[in-house]
């Protein structure tokens, strides 16, 4: 029975993966009675082991509710897992995001399985089948086997980064050790934070040697959504940004801001990614064709679906279920007001701002948030008390806002129409902000001693002044300005939960009251009032997740401090 265990889980996983996200990668059904040794020797089925590893990449849409565990949002569903975080009642026995531990180690195991058996893949049937000197299929398979090795190194690096940013040091596993088998797991040591980052960097470096940039442009058979040279370099840059940040430096990371800046520059100097040009919109980056934009570096493709829209359409739309991630007033207040050639922070004590709070704001506000009076799917959304999408309607937003980013307004809930979604793990705008932060902390706002060709201030201003945003360029830079820009540019893309932690600012931002907007309308005039929605709990120990208690019992590792 044990002989067929791995095949069975692969069959089940690939069936689920294909049925829900059928255009991500082309997988084959593996016969349940196929012996293990034959599976790894058969080219098509060996490739499915790699596809299985891809399936463990985080689902950004399913994880979007964790934005409500930050100061940027509130989840309308009172049973959502984010509330467990916000009430401070999570721990090593009950961590609503604890599935990341097993998910990542399962992905690492799957990648290690392929690396263990990659030398067994038999391509003789292709070489023996060459007719009229046409060796196209054979050469393609030889290249693909080589690339799959690099993909597994990349995927392992990705999974380890997901683990380290949550838990700190974790065990480094180079062999195909089954996470679900305690006999092979319990003797593993827990490596240090610095060891883990060194390992992530080494995996990225190995992958980058194997996978050239040409797979992105020259090999039409290399499926969209697979790892590319740019994706590998972007992952390394992001990991080193974290490694140089205060939380990880305190935990023993030896990497520096200089290291992070150099790694980000490696992506920039490829000169293949860019911000949108004229006649494009900031919202295009989050639409159905975003994978085709020049900004997309690495992404996960999903088939036609509409679950995200059912959850997040304003409640006025029939069949909108109100299971919504709703932006907070804390988040909305972050967006500046454009005033001629300058921009100023929004200020409720400014009578002009307070009288019309959504006028002349940073355009990224309207691209991210649906606010009172906004047009959505050819309807004017009313979030004021008694409005078509406001309180006291059942399941209406409690913050006064709905989410716009990644929500496709062209979907018809009543007709059950669907749209494609691609979740961007890395995009060029985010990479430029990674570079800006690293350069600023390494060399200051205006210095480029390594001759990279761009200062921290210039990189950040590229993002601010991009087509479709056109915010005034800054004339000076600070860490606070970088934090602001990351919040408004990368909001609801999976960054806030980790950025605030790595900056060691979570006890300030995540412990502050979460605010809402209450709007009343007397028939001719709106009145706006910022009110507290809820208090939140956050302790310093929560900068790190606790290791799951069952792992502590099994291995005897020391638990993270405070837990």
């Amino acid at each position: 029975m044990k002989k067929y265990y791995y095949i069975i889980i692969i069959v089940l996983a690939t069936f689920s993966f294909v049925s829900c996200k059928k255009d991500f990668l082309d997988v084959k059904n593996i016969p349940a009675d196929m012996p293990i040794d034959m599976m790894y020797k058969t080219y098509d089925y060996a490739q499915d082991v790699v596809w299985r590893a891809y399936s463990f990449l985080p689902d950004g849409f399913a994880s979007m509710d964790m934005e409500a565990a930050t100061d940027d949002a509130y989840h309308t569903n009172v049973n959502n897992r984010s509330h467990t975080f916000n009430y401070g009642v999570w721990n090593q026995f009950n961590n609503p995001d604890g599935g990341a531990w097993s998910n990542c180690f399962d992905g690492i195991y799957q990648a290690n399985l392929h690396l263990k058996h990659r030398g067994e893949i038999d391509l003789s049937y292709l070489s023996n089948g060459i007719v009229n000197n046409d060796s196209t299929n054979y050469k393609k398979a030889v290249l693909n086997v080589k690339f799959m090795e690099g993909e597994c190194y990349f995927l392992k690096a990705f999974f380890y980064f997901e683990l380290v940013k949550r838990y700190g040091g974790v065990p480094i596993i180079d062999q195909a050790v089954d996470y679900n088998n305690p006999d092979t797991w319990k003797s593993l040591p827990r490596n240090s934070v610095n060891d883990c980052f060194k390992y992530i960097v080494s995996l990225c470096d190995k992958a980058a040697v194997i996978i050239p940039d040409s797979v992105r442009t020259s090999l039409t058979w290399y499926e969209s959504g697979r790892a590319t040279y740019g994706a590998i370099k972007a992952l390394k840059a992001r990991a080193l940004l974290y490694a140089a940040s205060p939380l990880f430096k305190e935990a023993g990371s030896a990497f520096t801001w200089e290291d992070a800046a150099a790694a980000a520059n490696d992506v920039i100097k490829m000169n293949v990614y860019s911000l949108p040009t004229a006649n494009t919109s900031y919202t295009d980056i989050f639409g159905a064709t975003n994978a085709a934009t020049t900004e997309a570096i690495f992404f996960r493709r999903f088939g036609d679906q509409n679950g995200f829209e059912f959850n997040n359409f304003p409640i006025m739309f029939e069949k909108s279920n109100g299971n919504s991630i709703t932006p907070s007033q804390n988040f909305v207040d972050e967006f500046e007001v454009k005033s001629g050639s300058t921009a100023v922070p929004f200020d409720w004590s400014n009578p002009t701002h307070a009288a019309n709070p959504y006028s002349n704001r940073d355009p990224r506000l309207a691209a991210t948030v649906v606010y009172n009076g906004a047009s959505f799917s050819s309807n004017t959304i009313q979030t004021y008390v008694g409005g078509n999408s406001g309180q006291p309607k059942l399941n209406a937003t409690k913050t006064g806002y709905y989410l716009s980013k990644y929500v496709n307004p062209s979907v018809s809930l009543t007709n059950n129409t669907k749209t494609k979604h691609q979740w961007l793990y890395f995009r060029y705008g985010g990479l430029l902000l990674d570079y800006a932060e690293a350069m600023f902390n390494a060399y200051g706002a205006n210095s480029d001693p390594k001759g990279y060709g761009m200062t921290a201030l210039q990189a950040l201003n590229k993002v601010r002044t991009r087509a479709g945003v056109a915010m005034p360029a800054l004339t000076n830079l600070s860490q606070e300005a970088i934090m602001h820009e990351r919040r408004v540019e990368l909001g609801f893309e999976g960054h806030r939960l980790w950025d605030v932690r790595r900056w060691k600012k979570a006890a300030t931002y995540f412990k502050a009251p979460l605010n809402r907007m209450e709007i009343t309308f007397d028939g001719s005039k709106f009145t706006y009032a910022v009110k507290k929605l809820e208090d939140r709990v956050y302790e310093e120990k929560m900068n790190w997740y606790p290791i799951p208690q069952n792992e502590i019992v099994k291995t005897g590792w020391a638990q993270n401090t405070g837990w």
Side-chain angles (χ1 to χ4, degrees):
M1 190 68 179
K2 181 72 172 177
K3 180 178 182 181
Y4 302 112
Y5 171 70
Y6 302 126
I7 295 180
I8 292 169
I9 63 171
I10 291 171
V11 171
L12 293 176
T14 52
F15 177 79
S16 173
F17 194 35
V18 175
S19 63
C20 297
K21 307 148 180 108
K22 57 187 177 184
D23 68 336
F24 179 65
L25 294 170
D26 182 22
V27 296
K28 310 286 191 298
N29 286 326
I30 301 175
D33 60 349
M34 176 177 284
I36 284 288
D37 57 346
M38 285 301 297
M39 183 183 73
Y40 289 115
K41 287 181 180 179
T42 306
Y43 170 60
D44 284 345
Y45 296 149
Q47 184 168 256
D48 285 351
V49 178
V50 181
W51 289 181
R52 163 75 168 158
Y54 272 99
S55 76
F56 291 102
L57 287 171
D59 181 339
F61 295 104
S63 301
M64 179 79 87
D65 62 340
M66 289 299 291
E67 297 289 345
T70 78
D71 53 341
D72 283 353
Y74 176 87
H75 205 288
T76 303
N77 186 339
V78 296
N79 295 315
N80 182 262
R81 60 178 176 166
S82 60
H83 298 295
T84 301
F85 279 86
N86 298 331
Y87 300 152
V89 293
W90 57 291
N91 52 42
Q92 59 268 49
F93 302 99
N94 175 34
N95 181 349
D97 191 30
W101 177 274
S102 58
N103 188 76
C104 288
F105 277 116
D106 281 341
I108 290 165
Y109 173 53
Q110 200 66 34
N112 278 334
L113 274 177
H114 177 81
L115 293 172
K116 177 182 178 181
H117 294 285
R118 62 187 173 82
E120 302 170 20
I121 300 173
D122 184 5
L123 299 179
S124 60
Y125 77 100
L126 289 171
S127 61
N128 294 336
I130 295 174
V131 179
N132 296 326
N133 294 320
D134 184 1
S135 59
T136 303
N137 289 336
Y138 174 69
K139 289 179 178 178
K140 167 188 166 182
V142 170
L143 276 177
N144 202 32
V145 169
K146 172 183 154 185
F147 294 154
M148 286 190 290
E149 178 188 359
E151 288 174 274
C152 286
Y153 292 139
F154 167 79
L155 290 168
K156 284 178 64 178
F158 198 112
F159 296 133
Y160 268 107
F161 179 51
E162 289 297 309
L163 288 166
V164 173
K165 71 184 185 184
R166 288 170 168 82
Y167 299 99
V170 294
I172 292 174
I173 305 174
D174 251 341
Q175 306 300 318
V177 175
D178 183 5
Y179 165 78
N180 297 295
N181 185 344
D183 291 333
T184 59
W185 180 255
K186 64 184 179 182
S187 61
L188 292 172
R190 185 181 175 191
N191 293 84
S192 70
V193 165
N194 194 56
D195 286 342
C196 290
F197 277 119
K198 286 170 64 176
Y199 187 61
I200 291 167
V201 168
S202 71
L203 290 169
C204 289
D205 289 344
K206 287 198 287 187
V209 171
I210 295 170
I211 300 177
D213 185 47
S214 60
V215 301
R216 184 182 53 84
T217 56
S218 303
L219 301 180
T220 56
W221 52 264
Y222 195 85
E223 292 91 339
S224 174
R226 293 174 69 176
T228 62
Y229 184 82
I232 295 162
K233 290 294 187 179
L235 172 59
K236 179 180 176 180
R238 181 67 51 73
L240 288 177
L241 179 78
Y242 277 56
S245 297
L247 180 67
F248 294 93
K249 292 293 285 185
E250 185 181 79
S253 170
F255 290 96
T256 65
W257 293 113
E258 289 84 354
D259 295 327
N265 180 61
D266 283 344
V267 183
I268 295 168
K269 72 181 182 183
M270 291 174 64
N271 200 32
V272 297
Y273 305 107
S274 62
L275 298 174
T277 55
N279 301 319
T280 59
S281 167
Y282 175 77
T283 58
D284 292 343
I285 310 165
F286 312 104
T289 60
N290 62 345
T293 66
T294 58
E295 188 163 350
I297 298 176
F298 184 58
F299 46 86
R300 180 169 177 173
R301 288 169 43 198
F302 295 82
D304 290 341
Q305 57 181 258
N306 54 21
F308 198 66
E309 282 70 29
F310 271 100
N311 286 345
N312 290 290
F313 261 44
I315 206 66
M316 69 164 289
F317 291 92
E318 185 179 354
K319 295 191 176 181
S320 174
N321 62 30
N323 194 32
S324 306
I325 304 146
T326 55
S328 66
Q329 189 63 47
N330 310 51
F331 178 69
V332 171
D333 283 347
E334 189 75 20
F335 291 82
E336 296 164 276
V337 178
K338 295 175 74 172
S339 179
S341 60
T342 63
V344 297
F346 181 85
D347 184 358
W348 282 105
S349 65
N350 182 318
T352 302
H353 293 183
N356 197 353
Y358 310 122
S359 178
N360 298 321
R361 301 293 288 274
D362 183 329
R364 290 171 291 189
L365 174 61
T368 308
V369 177
V370 179
Y371 48 76
N372 186 61
S375 177
F376 185 93
S377 191
S378 302
N379 286 270
T380 299
I381 305 303
Q382 303 166 346
T383 62
Y384 59 83
V385 176
N388 59 30
S389 293
Q391 291 289 322
K393 278 198 167 186
L394 180 67
N395 295 326
T397 173
K398 294 182 176 69
T399 65
Y401 303 101
Y402 292 92
L403 183 64
S404 178
K405 184 176 279 191
Y406 273 121
V407 180
N408 192 323
S410 70
V411 166
S412 170
L413 303 186
T414 53
N415 294 320
N416 200 32
T417 61
K418 299 179 180 180
T419 185
K420 284 181 170 52
H421 288 284
Q422 288 77 221
W423 181 264
L424 299 179
Y425 295 116
F426 302 112
R427 63 179 178 92
Y428 192 61
L431 189 281
L432 285 173
L433 292 181
D434 292 352
Y435 176 84
E437 182 177 353
M439 285 290 287
F440 174 77
N441 283 283
Y443 308 115
N446 297 297
S447 181
D448 179 21
K450 298 294 184 180
Y452 294 147
M454 187 162 43
T455 66
L457 181 60
Q458 288 170 334
L460 186 137
N461 278 333
K462 276 182 177 288
V463 176
R464 281 180 65 87
T465 61
R466 64 188 299 159
V469 174
M471 287 295 288
L474 299 181
T475 57
N476 53 58
L477 195 58
S478 64
Q479 179 63 27
E480 289 68 29
I482 291 168
M483 292 163 61
H484 160 82
E485 201 64 29
R486 288 187 71 88
R487 191 177 189 186
V488 299
E489 172 71 19
L490 303 175
F492 295 88
E493 297 180 45
H495 292 279
R496 184 68 175 175
L497 191 70
W498 311 114
D499 277 349
V500 174
R501 279 179 162 88
R502 68 180 175 86
W503 293 325
K504 294 201 68 180
K505 300 287 188 180
T508 298
Y509 290 107
F510 294 170
K511 196 175 182 178
L514 194 78
N515 292 330
R516 64 183 178 92
M517 169 56 63
E518 183 175 281
I519 306 173
T520 54
F521 183 53
D522 65 5
S524 61
K525 179 183 177 183
F526 291 109
T527 301
Y528 304 90
V530 177
K531 296 191 175 183
K532 183 170 73 174
L533 177 57
E534 66 177 9
D535 290 311
R536 291 188 166 180
V537 175
Y538 195 92
E539 302 174 41
E540 283 290 341
K541 68 177 182 179
M542 296 174 181
N543 287 334
W544 301 107
Y545 282 9
I547 302 293
Q549 186 61 27
N550 62 316
E551 304 301 334
I552 297 294
V553 171
K554 188 163 56 180
T555 61
W557 296 332
Q559 181 58 274
N560 281 338
T561 302
W563 295 103

